[in-house]
Amino acid sequence: MAGLNREPKGKRGDGGLGTAVDFLLSNAKLVLGVGGAAVLGIATLAVKRMYDRTLSAPTSPTKMEAGGQRSWEEPSWMGSSPRVLNPDMKASVSRSLQTLPTSAHCFEPDAMRRAVGRSGLGAGGGADLLRARMRLSLQERLWAFYRERVNIPGEEQAAARRAALDICAELRVFLHAKLPDMPLREMYLSGSLYDDLQVVTADHAQLMVPMVLEKNLWSMVPGEDTIMNVPGFWLVRRENLEYFPRGSSYWDRCLVGGYLSPKAVLEVFDRLVAGSINWPAIGSVLDYVIRPVVPSETLTLEVQYETDRRLYVDFLPLLAMEDGGALIAKPHRPAAERHQNLWRQSFRAAETARLRALDREDGGCRCACLKLAKAVCKLNAALQRLNASQLTNALLLLSDTEGDWTQEALADRFLQLLRALVRHLEAGRLPCALNPKVNLLCELLEPEVDELGYTLYCALSDPEGLLRTALDQPPHP
């Protein structure tokens, strides 16, 4: 406590208030948490600056500045709440972002020790806890978190892939036997489990079901060219009905208002996959427990392939595009009913290929950074609305402006990614790196944007708090 009794230089007669304020702010996070510390810090700094300006007031009313105004009167500093994205606070958030740390060096032990050394912390539990937290740099903590929680053991990934392959084989046999005239190409498995980008636990796979459409009977219309104006979604229109009447195509049974409806397609497969297949019998043969997930945005099967391991397999009807892209039957959120005829364009394969190509060129850490961000979002309830596509595109956009992606720069790039996400959320727009017309935040509700922005904003001042929260979660949610 000796530091509290030493009068700081340049603050005559303040009774140690400046040092006491520093002490209060240094320990606020330990007692109140990040959110409470942010609010307390803003209020306390306002009082402190007013007090400092008062101490610097001239002793004589004649000692005025050349402009005729006393600089110590009516301080102009105004604080802002850290709760971002409220319309009245966007300007404050933008100013605050300029002062937040962007380098991992700010969180390394030496830098933190210098920052808190002025607070005069004495011997006590708070000081010991702070020293313990400073023991490892953010870089070291990120790599430790990556090894302990992000990376999935190869054995677990292999077991999940075997289970997904078994389900795929059963569905293939059933569909070919039950509906031999259904025009389908060969089904295949996809998703992050097969790109080595899945995190925490191997619990999700996608079963892609390519549908065959007759070229002269169907055409694809971009969403931005329709009255709905939704980039990233497409309509599939039935053509030439005067020459090829309804019924000429197998998929005419899924027409709604002259367009192929992904909702109707999913209902057809749902009746087959969830209603016709005897999953308990198949599960007993495979030694799995298999059941459809209800309710679900898409057709999803839950597969318990070991006592403590579950795999969720999404059954996704797919339309191949001429340029090599794909449209999938995944509904628009939250306007699923209003946009029930819209097919979602999937950029996942191209995004993943671009990310890996960039890392191969410079031996970079982009994939590791992405996996860290995905794990943090998966294990923090407040961030679970951020999906893999949004994180991947934010990282690809960051790669366009940042050149250093060495392994040693992981912590700096991770902080930059958090900062970029806050800015995108504040603006309400995250453009797709492969098609800038697509806004990847368009399906988030305003309260969800507020919560995501607020959580990430707080994380910028305490990034290790995200890791601590994630480490508190069970390994198999």
Side-chain angles (χ1 to χ4, degrees):
M1 300 297 290
L4 290 176
N5 298 325
R6 185 170 57 252
E7 187 174 21
K9 182 179 179 181
K11 293 189 178 181
R12 298 189 304 271
D14 70 351
L17 177 63
T19 306
V21 169
D22 287 339
F23 175 82
L24 177 63
L25 293 176
S26 297
N27 287 275
K29 269 194 287 188
L30 301 177
V31 179
L32 301 177
V34 174
V39 176
L40 176 62
I42 288 168
T44 308
L45 284 173
V47 175
K48 181 182 176 186
R49 293 192 186 193
M50 292 175 65
Y51 189 82
D52 289 345
R53 287 174 181 264
T54 303
L55 288 178
S56 64
T59 56
S60 169
T62 62
K63 294 181 179 179
M64 308 268 296
E65 292 185 357
Q69 295 182 355
R70 289 166 291 190
S71 64
W72 51 272
E73 288 184 333
E74 300 178 2
S76 61
W77 182 86
M78 293 179 63
S80 63
S81 167
R83 191 166 187 81
V84 301
L85 304 174
N86 184 304
D88 299 330
M89 300 178 181
K90 285 187 177 181
S92 296
V93 172
S94 297
R95 290 195 301 270
S96 300
L97 281 173
Q98 303 303 316
T99 65
L100 289 171
T102 58
S103 171
H105 298 301
C106 298
F107 302 96
E108 291 182 355
D110 290 341
M112 292 176 66
R113 199 171 288 116
R114 287 193 298 272
V116 302
R118 296 186 297 274
S119 66
L121 285 175
D128 292 338
L129 179 59
L130 193 57
R131 281 194 294 270
R133 290 175 60 191
M134 291 189 303
R135 198 166 294 140
L136 290 175
S137 69
L138 177 61
Q139 177 88 357
E140 292 167 336
R141 288 180 185 273
L142 284 171
W143 282 119
F145 179 72
Y146 184 89
R147 291 189 299 269
E148 295 168 12
R149 294 305 303 273
V150 177
N151 242 8
I152 304 173
E155 172 190 300
E156 182 180 345
Q157 292 189 63
R161 288 170 182 166
R162 284 194 299 271
L165 189 60
D166 289 340
I167 297 300
C168 180
E170 292 294 334
L171 281 170
R172 183 187 297 116
V173 170
F174 174 82
L175 289 177
H176 282 246
K178 182 81 173 178
L179 298 168
D181 59 335
M182 180 182 281
L184 297 175
R185 291 191 177 92
E186 197 67 24
M187 294 184 289
Y188 62 93
L189 290 161
S190 181
S192 57
L193 181 62
Y194 294 87
D195 298 327
D196 194 28
L197 289 175
Q198 196 152 108
V199 296
V200 183
T201 180
D203 61 357
H204 189 258
Q206 294 176 339
L207 178 57
M208 313 306 290
V209 186
M211 302 163 51
V212 178
L213 298 180
E214 299 86 350
K215 289 185 179 181
N216 60 329
L217 300 186
W218 304 92
S219 65
M220 297 180 180
V221 183
E224 61 265 31
D225 293 345
T226 69
I227 193 172
M228 291 176 283
N229 190 24
V230 189
F233 289 82
W234 293 64
L235 289 170
V236 180
R237 184 168 55 204
R238 179 67 157 86
E239 303 286 3
N240 298 321
L241 279 168
E242 62 274 22
Y243 302 110
F244 302 95
R246 188 165 179 157
S248 301
S249 172
Y250 181 92
W251 301 110
D252 282 344
R253 66 195 68 192
C254 299
L255 278 177
V256 175
Y259 296 92
L260 181 63
S261 170
K263 181 181 179 182
V265 170
L266 281 172
E267 288 173 352
V268 168
F269 283 112
D270 184 66
R271 288 193 294 269
L272 291 169
V273 175
S276 300
I277 300 180
N278 188 347
W279 288 115
I282 293 175
S284 63
V285 172
L286 299 174
D287 198 21
Y288 299 158
V289 176
I290 309 170
R291 49 182 169 265
V293 175
V294 180
S296 174
E297 288 184 348
T298 57
L299 176 55
T300 303
L301 296 174
E302 179 186 356
V303 183
Q304 182 179 344
Y305 60 97
E306 291 183 12
T307 304
D308 58 345
R309 289 181 179 172
R310 285 178 170 79
L311 175 70
Y312 295 89
V313 181
D314 289 338
F315 189 92
L316 286 178
L318 163 74
L319 298 175
M321 304 175 71
E322 291 183 358
D323 62 357
L327 302 179
I328 57 176
K330 189 173 182 180
H332 183 285
R333 178 189 177 273
E337 288 301 319
R338 188 167 75 250
H339 297 329
Q340 62 177 314
N341 282 354
L342 289 177
W343 289 76
R344 181 187 300 270
Q345 185 172 1
S346 174
F347 298 95
R348 191 198 62 79
E351 291 164 356
T352 302
R354 180 171 173 181
L355 191 71
R356 292 202 174 281
L358 289 170
D359 267 358
R360 281 196 301 269
E361 288 174 5
D362 58 13
C365 63
R366 295 172 187 82
C367 289
C369 189
L370 174 62
K371 292 173 76 171
L372 280 165
K374 288 175 66 173
V376 162
C377 291
K378 183 173 184 175
L379 294 173
N380 286 268
L383 297 176
Q384 287 178 356
R385 281 296 178 192
L386 281 177
N387 60 39
S389 177
Q390 292 160 347
L391 296 173
T392 302
N393 279 275
L395 196 144
L396 287 173
L397 293 173
L398 185 59
S399 293
D400 291 339
T401 58
E402 176 57 55
D404 183 9
W405 287 92
T406 59
Q407 302 294 316
E408 293 74 17
L410 175 66
D412 288 339
R413 299 296 82 78
F414 181 76
L415 288 174
Q416 278 190 316
L417 179 60
L418 297 184
R419 186 186 181 95
L421 286 168
V422 172
R423 284 177 168 162
H424 289 305
L425 288 163
E426 181 192 0
R429 178 170 178 77
L430 172 56
C432 173
L434 302 180
N435 185 355
K437 292 185 294 185
V438 178
N439 178 15
L440 297 173
L441 300 181
C442 69
E443 296 175 77
L444 289 176
L445 302 175
E446 187 174 344
E448 294 169 344
V449 172
D450 282 343
E451 184 177 22
L452 290 169
Y454 174 64
T455 305
L456 290 172
Y457 180 89
C458 292
L460 278 169
S461 61
D462 182 25
E464 293 178 4
L466 286 177
L467 306 185
R468 288 193 299 273
T469 303
L471 286 169
D472 290 339
Q473 301 299 316
H476 295 282

